[in-house]
Amino acid sequence: MAEITRETVPAISVNNLSHSFKGHQALSQVSFCVMPRTLHGFVGPNGAGKTTTLKAICTLLKPSWGEISVFGHSVRSESIAVRRRIGFMPDHFSMYRQMTVFEYLDFFAAAYGLGLDQRDRVIHDVLTLTDMDGRRNDLISGLSRGMQQRVSLARVLVHDPDLLLLDEPASGLDPRARIELMEILRELRRMGKTVFISSHILSELAELCDSVTIIDRGQVRFSGPMDVLLDNPDEQPSWTLRLAVVEPEALTKIQQLSCVASITEPEFATGRDFSIQLTPPATGNDFLKELLTLDLPLVSFSQQRRHLNQAFMDLTTRGVRT
Amino acid sequence: MISGVLTLFHWTLRMDSRSIYPHLIRVAFAFAMLFAMAIALADFFGTSRVGLRYFQSVCALNVVLITVSGISYFVTAVTEEKDAGTYALLRLAGMNSLSITLGKSTSRLVSSLMLLIVQVPFTFLAVTLGGILWQQVVAAYLALAVWMAFVANLALFCSVRCATSGRAAGLCGVLILLLFTLPALIGDLVRVIPAGVLAAGTIRWLETIAEAIYSLSVAQRLTEVLATGGTLVMFDDQFWILTVAAVVLFILSTVMLDFWSAPDLPGNGDLPTNPAARRWLVRRPRLMPIAWKEYVYFTGGHGFLLAKFAAGGLLYFGFQLVQTDGGRSVSWELSNDAGVDLFRTFALIIFVELLLYSSGCLFYELRQATQSTLGTLPISATRVLLEKLAGCVVSLVPMVFWLILTIIMGFQGVSRYCSLTMVVSYFIMLGFSTHVAALLSLYTRWAALPLTILCSGPAFFCLALPIYGFTSVTMAAAGTHGLPVSSVLVILVNLFWTWLFVMLPLEIWIRDRWTAVVRQ
């Protein structure tokens, strides 16, 4: 019963959050919900209010209006309880550069009230997870940016938080470090953590996240499962078909199928990919059944989805907010 | 090169004019001059010396302002580029060492000289009020201008030598302090040493050094200039020596700029990199991790604590040795004079140490942008601040130990020298200054320490009167009621009212400001 309750209480619940700085409305009626054990992306243009929202969630900022709760604890009235359950990684490097990696993690573990034995075990675990165990005695000032980012992530994990709030964790990292970071985030999700990640790297978010919130000019434009965002409900779905070998008459054969409305070769295609529109109310299954009768060398068949970049561009406004 | 210098010069002046703080300082200075005029009129109304009294106050204000500018404003000339990581960009833009030192320091010097120029109409008023000649005014301004040039170039040298503005301000502060106090310290040393310990030639040599340093002092030169009677020399030795010193410091700064501005190698730190030595020095945090962090990484930890114990011991036994017969026997006992001198020295060291810690410990977080990380710990802001205080207090232990030992061993001299009011005032000023320094460090980048020194002077006069009043009233009340512990009562009463009406509001302000800074 307790498990059920834990699962049904949202990891983050933001209701009508508004905030203004010196007359500038940074957030306006922002509402969204993040379920436990999910990876939630938080995207928006520069100045959209992402960092302000993150700061409000991690108790660093008292919003002018609205309510935020983390695992049922109000950020306003139970800030200490909230801080125990979250790990916040800011978008800038905030590290004690004269400490070694071990000393840095040991300090934060002690600040969260962990005993000496427990600290040794936890530090070993988080360093193994972030692949930094071999650098535990290195000074932080001597580490590369990617390694410092890993140490920062290890720091966020030392007290075993249920919710990780990561503000632009991949900014400034090289492609390899970015891919490795994403792998660590997947591993964290497998471990049952809720990860709330603010990022500009949309392609990676699309692969990684279960759900997403898009914010623009202080207002939420979309919040929900990633699938819902990428499947545009207003349009008739398109399908991509890939053949191993394209025979000259293949295109004509497919065009003649009853459920095919149109078939086009996509731009920059390899010559083996076809984009297909079906005649309503035909479904993918109907098409596939007819296609198999043609005995073509089929490699793959999938529904075309909007790219997150496209969804982002559709939902957000051009230009920098003034 | 000229265009580079002009660009830097122009840019710095523009930044200066856009910032509100220089204008506020100018307005504050104008008010200070008005206040000095009012005091002069009140003191010498109806006499012929009003102008002289007024001009003396203006000169004193200028000396303080120039000296404070040295530690705070001039000293960031080059380090502000190093701090922001833009020094290399200046070099990439084709600027050579001379362009950088000239462009960065001249604009600051001009900006400060403007403050002196603004005073000119007021100084004519001093001549009109009487007691001073225009030749004396000109000579005084020449002395002040050359002092400013010297301080600016000394600060530039520190700015070139040090990697950060904080270190440069510390070095510059120590050098200026030495310049002011060395003659007195040498004089005291010569006085305390019993006859026969040092050769007469050595004593003469020490006295000559003290006199030479004293003759460079702007305070001594202004006293000479403003003294009535005698012939007035416009360009005396002080002018030429300080000018030459300023030029030498400028050349040295320019020549050494590249060498001293090389970026730090990664891994450089104050603590050893050897794992065993580091393990012993750093240990591990337990009950109060933030206090541990402050103690180990901010104040220097065990290594620095031991060094301070040793330095305090050297100072104690050094004084003790020179004041005993021929310096041949070592004992814990202190003579009256040595006790008083040692007491003053340790009290001053503790004051300076505490000011450095209070002005740096919160700024240390801001500089490393770690305040938001501390802000998300499940610890209240008040506890964070108290733990930081605890970490700094631990590192005061060596000097406090030697101070207490000095009081015990030289009690006779110390008790004769120090009245109860003086001791209470010392502790209250210590508390007040540390609070102000901590607060200012959350508002300004590098000026917390000099501004605190600037604030502490007037604050001392504001606080001294109620302290004296409360002491008298408490002593009288204790006497009337026959209470045997009147001294303890005096201390408690004074500490209570200053805490309630002075420290507590400052503490709440510090906490609120820290919270605001964490949220920024």
Side-chain angles (χ1 to χ4, degrees):
Chain A
M1 185 65 196
E3 264 310 298
I4 292 167
T5 312
R6 196 180 153 191
E7 287 298 321
T8 49
V9 172
I12 304 171
S13 169
V14 178
N15 290 311
N16 296 323
L17 178 68
S18 297
H19 192 70
S20 55
F21 301 106
K22 296 174 185 169
H24 168 78
Q25 191 72 27
L27 297 173
S28 174
Q29 303 280 310
V30 169
S31 298
F32 62 89
C33 190
V34 178
M35 294 313 288
R37 297 165 190 261
T38 57
L39 228 152
H40 188 95
F42 192 52
V43 293
N46 289 332
K50 297 190 297 293
T51 301
T52 308
T53 311
L54 265 168
K55 280 186 172 181
I57 296 169
C58 71
T59 75
L60 282 177
L61 186 95
K62 273 197 180 137
S64 317
W65 189 258
E67 262 307 313
I68 305 173
S69 65
V70 173
F71 293 109
H73 299 289
S74 165
V75 163
R76 266 183 211 276
S77 55
E78 299 168 273
S79 59
I80 299 291
V82 169
R83 287 176 194 178
R84 287 199 179 282
R85 298 195 67 174
I86 63 167
F88 173 58
M89 190 166 134
D91 59 345
H92 54 270
F93 279 110
S94 60
M95 304 180 97
Y96 298 106
R97 294 169 60 81
Q98 66 276 55
M99 289 185 183
T100 64
V101 172
F102 181 83
E103 287 161 10
Y104 182 71
L105 298 176
D106 199 28
F107 163 63
F108 279 99
Y112 279 102
L114 273 63
L116 274 178
D117 293 342
Q118 204 183 353
R119 264 145 56 186
D120 285 336
R121 187 175 47 75
V122 163
I123 291 170
H124 171 74
D125 289 349
V126 295
L127 286 177
T128 307
L129 179 75
T130 52
D131 202 17
M132 286 294 290
D133 210 16
R135 310 298 295 265
R136 57 194 288 137
N137 290 322
D138 287 12
L139 280 177
I140 288 174
S141 59
L143 298 177
S144 68
R145 193 180 167 92
M147 284 182 187
Q148 288 191 13
Q149 199 77 321
R150 281 163 186 264
V151 175
S152 208
L153 187 61
R155 191 263 301 164
V156 168
L157 294 167
V158 283
H159 61 294
D160 194 21
D162 297 312
L163 170 64
L164 303 177
L165 300 160
L166 313 177
D167 195 1
E168 300 289 351
S171 67
L173 297 185
D174 62 44
R176 185 180 184 83
R178 237 166 32 212
I179 291 164
E180 286 170 354
L181 178 74
M182 295 302 155
E183 203 43 58
I184 293 171
L185 295 183
R186 281 195 190 94
E187 179 61 30
L188 288 170
R189 180 176 48 181
R190 279 195 287 273
M191 289 162 67
K193 308 280 180 207
T194 309
V195 184
F196 185 79
I197 177 172
S198 153
S199 178
H200 280 132
I201 304 158
L202 301 179
S203 55
E204 281 160 6
L205 280 186
E207 286 176 26
L208 196 69
C209 294
D210 307 301
S211 51
V212 67
T213 296
I214 295 180
I215 186 169
D216 182 32
R217 300 181 183 233
Q219 291 179 323
V220 170
R221 304 291 181 196
F222 175 85
S223 187
M226 186 67 85
D227 291 341
V228 175
L229 176 71
L230 300 184
D231 299 336
N232 194 338
D234 301 334
E235 292 171 8
Q236 180 67 17
S238 298
W239 300 84
T240 301
L241 173 73
R242 172 172 278 198
L243 301 176
V245 182
V246 182
E247 295 161 3
E249 68 276 18
L251 192 66
T252 324
K253 282 182 183 173
I254 297 169
Q255 260 174 339
Q256 285 167 353
L257 293 175
S258 62
C259 57
V260 173
S262 66
I263 177 164
T264 48
E265 283 187 42
E267 244 184 310
F268 310 117
T270 56
R272 298 181 293 142
D273 293 326
F274 300 95
S275 180
I276 296 163
Q277 288 275 323
L278 303 181
T279 43
T283 63
N285 273 354
D286 300 332
F287 172 72
L288 206 53
K289 275 179 202 163
E290 288 189 16
L291 184 72
L292 290 173
T293 59
L294 298 176
D295 199 25
L296 293 171
L298 181 68
V299 175
S300 64
F301 174 66
S302 60
Q303 187 178 353
Q304 277 181 11
R305 305 176 84 191
R306 279 201 303 177
H307 197 273
L308 185 57
N309 284 345
Q310 187 56 47
F312 180 78
M313 294 303 283
D314 290 346
L315 290 167
T316 57
T317 324
R318 183 190 289 264
V320 176
R321 189 181 186 187
T322 53
Chain B
M1 192 198 92
I2 296 296
S3 69
V5 173
L6 285 177
T7 308
L8 265 184
F9 181 70
H10 184 240
W11 179 81
T12 315
L13 276 185
R14 196 192 308 167
M15 292 300 286
D16 179 78
S17 60
R18 278 181 186 172
S19 170
I20 192 167
Y21 295 109
H23 302 302
L24 283 179
I25 289 172
R26 282 167 200 139
V27 170
F29 199 81
F31 273 104
M33 289 183 77
L34 200 64
F35 182 68
M37 200 185 296
I39 294 285
L41 280 167
D43 273 1
F44 294 94
F45 187 71
T47 72
S48 59
R49 293 173 56 204
V50 179
L52 177 67
R53 177 75 176 85
Y54 163 60
F55 193 68
Q56 279 171 338
S57 306
V58 171
C59 286
L61 266 175
N62 278 321
V63 171
V64 172
L65 185 87
I66 293 167
T67 311
V68 168
S69 301
I71 307 169
S72 57
Y73 184 49
F74 296 129
V75 91
T76 57
V78 178
T79 46
E80 72 175 8
E81 302 292 343
K82 293 181 190 175
D83 290 332
T86 50
Y87 175 74
L89 296 180
L90 287 181
R91 300 312 303 252
L92 281 174
M95 304 200 73
N96 59 25
S97 302
L98 185 61
S99 310
I100 293 172
T101 49
L102 207 60
K104 295 292 291 182
S105 66
T106 316
S107 53
R108 280 171 159 75
L109 194 58
V110 169
S111 178
S112 300
L113 279 171
M114 271 159 62
L115 203 59
L116 288 185
I117 293 164
V118 162
Q119 300 166 17
V120 172
F122 296 97
T123 51
F124 282 117
L125 192 63
V127 177
T128 315
L129 285 169
I132 189 163
L133 302 169
W134 69 267
Q135 289 92 337
Q136 284 174 297
V137 172
V138 173
Y141 272 107
L142 279 174
L144 286 170
V146 77
W147 174 245
M148 185 182 276
F150 172 74
V151 168
N153 284 290
L154 181 70
L156 176 69
F157 174 77
C158 297
S159 189
V160 168
R161 175 67 192 88
C162 298
T164 64
S165 297
R167 286 182 195 174
L171 178 65
C172 188
V174 167
L175 290 176
I176 290 177
L177 192 72
L178 277 179
L179 211 63
F180 277 115
T181 57
L182 213 53
L185 284 177
I186 293 173
D188 278 356
L189 189 72
V190 169
R191 187 168 49 81
V192 167
I193 295 171
V197 174
L198 288 176
T202 313
I203 291 176
R204 260 201 310 280
W205 183 72
L206 283 173
E207 284 172 343
T208 312
I209 291 176
E211 278 168 21
I213 297 171
Y214 185 65
S215 69
L216 295 180
S217 157
V218 66
Q220 188 265 346
R221 172 66 182 153
L222 287 173
T223 312
E224 259 178 34
V225 167
L226 298 180
T228 45
T231 49
L232 184 67
V233 183
M234 286 280 179
F235 301 97
D236 74 330
D237 291 348
Q238 186 249 10
F239 180 88
W240 294 116
I241 293 172
L242 283 185
T243 306
V244 170
V247 172
V248 168
L249 283 168
F250 181 80
I251 293 170
L252 203 60
S253 305
T254 307
V255 171
M256 300 305 287
L257 181 66
D258 266 349
F259 182 70
W260 282 331
S261 300
D264 278 347
L265 289 172
N268 278 0
D270 295 332
L271 289 161
T273 44
N274 176 283
R278 198 173 170 99
R279 239 191 328 272
W280 186 82
L281 285 171
V282 172
R283 301 295 173 101
R284 294 187 70 180
R286 284 165 200 272
L287 281 177
M288 296 166 75
I290 296 172
W292 165 86
K293 176 179 75 66
E294 291 307 298
Y295 169 65
V296 174
Y297 298 100
F298 176 65
T299 68
H302 294 343
F304 207 52
L305 194 82
L306 288 178
K308 281 193 286 186
F309 254 120
L314 276 176
L315 208 58
Y316 183 91
F317 289 110
F319 266 84
Q320 194 276 331
L321 262 177
V322 293
Q323 55 98 33
T324 53
D325 181 25
R328 283 186 292 273
S329 61
V330 177
S331 103
W332 294 93
E333 296 295 326
L334 290 166
S335 74
N336 288 350
D337 282 351
V340 171
D341 286 341
L342 206 49
F343 174 78
R344 283 198 303 198
T345 309
F346 280 129
L348 182 69
I349 290 173
I350 289 170
F351 202 97
V352 172
E353 204 179 356
L354 208 50
L355 275 184
L356 286 173
Y357 291 152
S358 55
S359 64
C361 77
L362 297 178
F363 185 71
Y364 168 78
E365 303 291 344
L366 305 190
R367 202 178 62 190
Q368 302 192 88
T370 44
Q371 71 274 23
S372 60
T373 318
L374 283 186
T376 51
L377 290 176
I379 300 172
S380 66
T382 310
R383 186 167 160 202
V384 169
L385 295 173
L386 286 175
E387 282 203 28
K388 277 181 159 285
L389 175 71
C392 294
V393 164
V394 172
S395 45
L396 288 174
V397 165
M399 288 304 157
V400 171
F401 167 80
W402 290 112
L403 179 77
I404 292 171
L405 193 71
T406 304
I407 293 170
I408 294 168
M409 293 301 166
F411 187 75
Q412 215 175 6
V414 173
S415 60
R416 206 170 54 197
Y417 168 72
C418 301
S419 66
L420 188 61
T421 316
M422 194 188 281
V423 173
V424 171
S425 302
Y426 172 76
F427 280 109
I428 289 172
M429 282 312 294
L430 200 66
F432 174 79
S433 303
T434 49
H435 280 69
V436 171
L439 182 64
L440 288 174
S441 72
L442 294 171
Y443 282 96
T444 71
R445 281 170 69 196
W446 308 110
L449 193 59
L451 282 177
T452 304
I453 296 167
L454 203 64
C455 291
S456 295
F460 177 75
F461 290 108
C462 294
L463 289 172
L465 200 64
I467 291 170
Y468 185 75
F470 273 108
T471 305
S472 304
V473 169
T474 312
M475 292 289 262
T480 310
H481 293 91
L483 295 173
V485 284
S486 57
S487 304
V488 177
L489 214 58
V490 164
I491 293 170
L492 288 177
V493 165
N494 277 301
L495 289 184
F496 178 73
W497 80 260
T498 45
W499 177 76
L500 189 65
F501 296 111
V502 182
M503 311 301 174
L504 186 62
L506 282 172
E507 282 160 14
I508 293 169
W509 192 354
I510 292 169
R511 191 202 57 191
D512 291 350
R513 178 65 189 166
W514 169 254
T515 310
V517 163
V518 164
R519 286 174 180 170
Q520 273 170 11

